[in-house]
Amino acid sequence: MTESELYHSLLLLMFILCPIVAFLLFYIKAPYGRYVQRSWGAGISVRSGWIVMEIVALLSFDAAFLTGTPDLVAWIFFILWNIHYGYRGLIYPLRLPNQTKQIPVLIVASGTLFNMINGYLNGRFLSVFGAGYSLDWLTTIPFLLGIALFFTGFLTNVQSDTILLSLRRADKSAYQIPRGFLFNYVSCPNYLGEVVEWFGWAMATWSLPGLAFALFTAANLMPRAYSHHHWYQQTFQEYPKDRKAIVPFIF
Ligand code: NDP
């Protein structure tokens, strides 16, 4: 099999997986965080789990990118990816409080495999399989809008994480109703930010790996947001009635 065949097969696989993952996750809650269950097998510390899963996305993207021949514009995307995964793979896990709760090895293994493939596809598109970008791309609407969405999503995600982690640090096991910022509109603004961020990436890179990743993120996080929302409503009688799951005023 040539590398081109491998790349295109993995890309196709990503698109095929999106509806399957979305369907399954509406019925089976991914067993980590509030849904963790011993029946899903051995676990490791939550902090180590996040580091392992997410550093792989950084390493596989960087390796795929740096062993190709990226143009000047592609380096902008290199920086964006490294900002996101530097945060998710190092800063976010170090902000997590030490907990007795664990994350199943199965979740870490599947997250690691996904991140390895996804990092490879996005890095390789930018340095080998894409058509390349001229400097004119920097003044196009998809690029400018995509970058604006990327940073809006990223900052929304980080700010929402900050609110949730401050609740978690205040009490290492109990859950509270998050308030303030976009929590006034939706139960999961962290997931909303993540989805917006990767659609911004897809638009700015104008790439199929970017689109596949954005769709996969939505397929993964929209059902989880729906589950969290339902869980909050069941758990707290005083939960705000007008709050939606992930899309303000709509869903
Ligand atoms: P959660 O919202 O389930 O949990 C985030 C952290 O906040 C956990 O430490 C959790 O504790 C704590 N927490 C959440 N809600 C409360 C509450 N009401 N009271 C007190 N503490 C709370 O997010 P995830 O763990 O699923 O995801 C973490 C980050 O990773 C998010 O920013 C998400 O966007 C991103 N992510 C991205 C994915 C992608 O496909 N690109 C996939 C998955 C995650 P506890 O663990 O005890 O529940």
Side-chain angles (χ1 to χ4, degrees):
M1 187 186 253
T2 65
E3 194 198 341
S4 172
E5 285 166 348
L6 174 70
Y7 170 89
H8 287 99
S9 305
L10 289 173
L11 186 54
L12 182 63
L13 178 68
M14 289 277 285
F15 280 107
I16 292 172
L17 280 178
C18 289
I20 298 173
V21 164
F23 178 78
L24 288 178
L25 290 181
F26 266 111
Y27 292 96
I28 306 165
K29 299 179 182 78
Y32 69 94
R34 72 196 65 186
Y35 314 116
V36 74
Q37 285 172 16
R38 283 184 184 279
S39 56
W40 283 78
I44 60 170
S45 91
V46 173
R47 179 178 287 165
S48 320
W50 277 103
I51 292 176
V52 170
M53 279 189 291
E54 306 294 322
I55 280 297
V56 164
L58 192 79
L59 295 178
S60 69
F61 176 93
D62 287 4
F65 184 93
L66 294 171
T67 51
T69 50
D71 55 43
L72 212 54
V73 174
W75 280 96
I76 296 175
F77 300 126
F78 177 85
I79 292 167
L80 298 188
W81 189 276
N82 279 268
I83 289 174
H84 175 89
Y85 280 104
Y87 168 71
R88 180 65 65 220
L90 288 173
I91 298 171
Y92 176 77
L94 295 178
R95 294 171 83 198
L96 287 166
N98 274 322
Q99 284 172 282
T100 47
K101 194 184 266 181
Q102 294 196 318
I103 182 167
V105 170
L106 197 65
I107 292 284
V108 176
S110 51
T112 303
L113 181 64
F114 171 81
N115 280 332
M116 198 183 292
I117 295 171
N118 188 45
Y120 165 78
L121 287 173
N122 279 277
R124 220 55 183 157
F125 172 85
L126 292 171
S127 69
V128 176
F129 293 111
Y133 304 94
S134 74
L135 288 180
D136 292 342
W137 181 247
L138 299 179
T139 53
T140 60
I141 288 176
F143 178 81
L144 295 171
L145 188 60
I147 294 290
L149 286 175
F150 181 90
F151 278 110
T152 305
F154 178 70
L155 294 174
T156 301
N157 178 258
V158 172
Q159 177 58 16
S160 310
D161 281 349
T162 301
I163 292 170
L164 291 175
L165 292 182
S166 70
L167 295 180
R168 180 48 70 242
R169 270 193 296 272
D171 186 323
K172 287 191 179 160
S173 56
Y175 290 88
Q176 298 167 53
I177 299 177
R179 297 188 192 276
F181 188 54
L182 294 183
F183 284 104
N184 293 334
Y185 301 95
V186 290
S187 296
C188 300
N190 49 344
Y191 298 161
L192 171 63
E194 188 94 30
V195 171
V196 167
E197 182 181 351
W198 293 114
F199 273 101
W201 169 271
M203 192 177 281
T205 58
W206 208 254
S207 67
L208 285 176
L211 180 63
F213 183 27
L215 291 173
F216 194 93
T217 302
N220 187 8
L221 295 183
M222 291 192 74
R224 190 166 172 85
Y226 181 76
S227 302
H228 276 17
H229 186 62
H230 186 65
W231 180 92
Y232 278 122
Q233 289 173 326
Q234 299 289 308
T235 307
F236 299 103
Q237 275 188 350
E238 69 278 27
Y239 198 67
K241 299 269 179 287
D242 51 353
R243 209 179 273 194
K244 298 291 182 188
I246 181 166
V247 184
F249 312 113
I250 297 173
F251 174 74

